[in-house]
Structures are given as C-alpha cells and as structure tokens.
Amino acid sequence: MDVFIPALLEQLSSGKSVEILCRGNSMNPFLVDRRDSIVLSACTYPELRMGDVVLGLTDSGHWVVHRVVSLKPLLLNGDGNLQSSREYIPENQVYARMVAYVRKGRRGEVSSPGWRRWSAFWKFCGKVSVGSWSLRRVLLGLWRRIYISRPSTD
C-alpha cells in the first residue's frame, strides 16, 4: 500500500482514470473480490452525491472504497457491511469516485439505469426490517451462501 496508494493518487491528480481490481468483500454483492475491477476518476467533496462509491481515507487512517450514505457528515458504508460499520471520512480525504466497473471483461457505467436501479433497491433493502433483521441482511446471507458454494472458475 505504501507504493500503490501514492502511485494511484499521482495518476488521478494528472487527470487519468485508474482501473483497480476489487479486493475484499465489503462491497458484495455489487463488487466481488478478485472478480470485478472498478474505474476511478478524481473528484472532490462538493462533487459527491448520495450513493456514489468513492475512494477515501477514514479518520482512523484506513483506505476504503465504499458508498456514500450521508453527506453531512460524510459517512461511507460498504454494500456488504451492516449499518454499524459506517466510516466517517473528512471532506478533504475523498480522492476519487467510481465511474465504471469491469465484470468478466465487460465495462458497465455507474450512471446506467441498471446500476442506479440496483443501488436504489439495495438502499431500500437496508430500511426494510423485522426486529433486528433487515431485508438487506437476509439477502446478503443468501447471496453469500449461493456465491460461496459455487465452484471456482479460476
């Protein structure tokens, strides 16, 4: 990370978009570890909208690529994380916004109606709950069981 992040920030500051491989499960089911890549472009806090997926440095010093769930204060949450794992990001610590994803060799834009519909649906799922069980939590559990039980294609 000591070499990767400075090189990434240099590319972004020169106006280039950068494609990186997804690592980790915090953005499941939208972005899958080692299967999907994301395309990032530089942005600043005033350009952000609710629901954007951004690269930021948390106030505790961790780099994350998560979805904006609140603008004031700026809070991020991974799609595969529950509500309790939100991260506060100082406004000056947002460096890039996801503009596209690459899945199985095909590029998709986050501005597409399909991506926006699924993002809105996932947000809705987090609000529907019975007791301590949200619809999002149930769907994530099902998705993990189905996805993890599939044979690897590597």
Side-chain angles (χ1 to χ4, degrees), residues 67-152:
R67 191 176 301 276
V68 174
V69 295
S70 171
L71 289 169
K72 296 253 185 220
L74 183 56
L75 290 173
L76 306 183
N77 193 50
D79 290 340
N81 295 340
L82 299 176
Q83 300 286 13
S84 62
S85 60
R86 292 181 172 184
E87 299 105 353
Y88 168 75
I89 304 287
E91 294 174 6
N92 64 343
Q93 298 287 75
V94 174
Y95 295 93
R97 174 178 33 215
M98 184 176 127
V99 295
Y101 60 93
V102 179
R103 178 172 297 140
K104 299 179 182 177
R106 294 186 183 160
R107 181 180 166 121
E109 302 296 322
V110 297
S111 59
S112 72
W115 178 270
R116 295 172 65 84
R117 265 193 307 273
W118 278 111
S119 296
F121 172 74
W122 200 244
K123 181 179 177 183
F124 169 77
C125 288
K127 294 180 180 182
V128 176
S129 61
V130 176
S132 64
W133 291 87
S134 72
L135 178 57
R136 180 172 159 177
R137 181 181 200 151
V138 171
L139 293 175
L140 260 176
L142 290 171
W143 184 87
R144 287 180 177 141
R145 287 174 194 236
I146 292 167
Y147 189 80
I148 291 171
S149 67
R150 290 174 46 197
S152 177

Side-chain angles (χ1 to χ4, degrees), residues 13-115:
S13 68
S14 69
K16 297 178 181 174
S17 293
V18 178
E19 182 178 328
I20 60 173
L21 181 66
C22 293
R23 295 299 310 266
N25 296 308
S26 66
M27 288 299 289
N28 285 337
F30 283 87
L31 302 169
V32 177
D33 181 42
R34 298 184 189 143
R35 180 192 76 182
D36 301 331
S37 295
I38 60 172
V39 180
L40 299 169
S41 289
C43 76
T44 58
Y45 173 76
E47 301 170 67
L48 295 182
R49 295 182 309 182
M50 288 287 293
D52 283 349
V53 176
V54 300
L55 168 69
L57 184 61
T58 67
D59 59 345
S60 61
H62 294 96
W63 288 95
V64 295
V65 175
H66 284 162
R67 191 176 301 276
V68 174
V69 295
S70 171
L71 289 169
K72 296 253 185 220
L74 183 56
L75 290 173
L76 306 183
N77 193 50
D79 290 340
N81 295 340
L82 299 176
Q83 300 286 13
S84 62
S85 60
R86 292 181 172 184
E87 299 105 353
Y88 168 75
I89 304 287
E91 294 174 6
N92 64 343
Q93 298 287 75
V94 174
Y95 295 93
R97 174 178 33 215
M98 184 176 127
V99 295
Y101 60 93
V102 179
R103 178 172 297 140
K104 299 179 182 177
R106 294 186 183 160
R107 181 180 166 121
E109 302 296 322
V110 297
S111 59
S112 72
W115 178 270

Side-chain angles (χ1 to χ4, degrees), residues 1-9 23 55-57 61-64:
M1 290 296 274
D2 294 337
V3 174
F4 176 72
I5 292 293
L8 174 72
L9 296 177
R23 295 299 310 266
L55 168 69
L57 184 61
H62 294 96
W63 288 95
V64 295

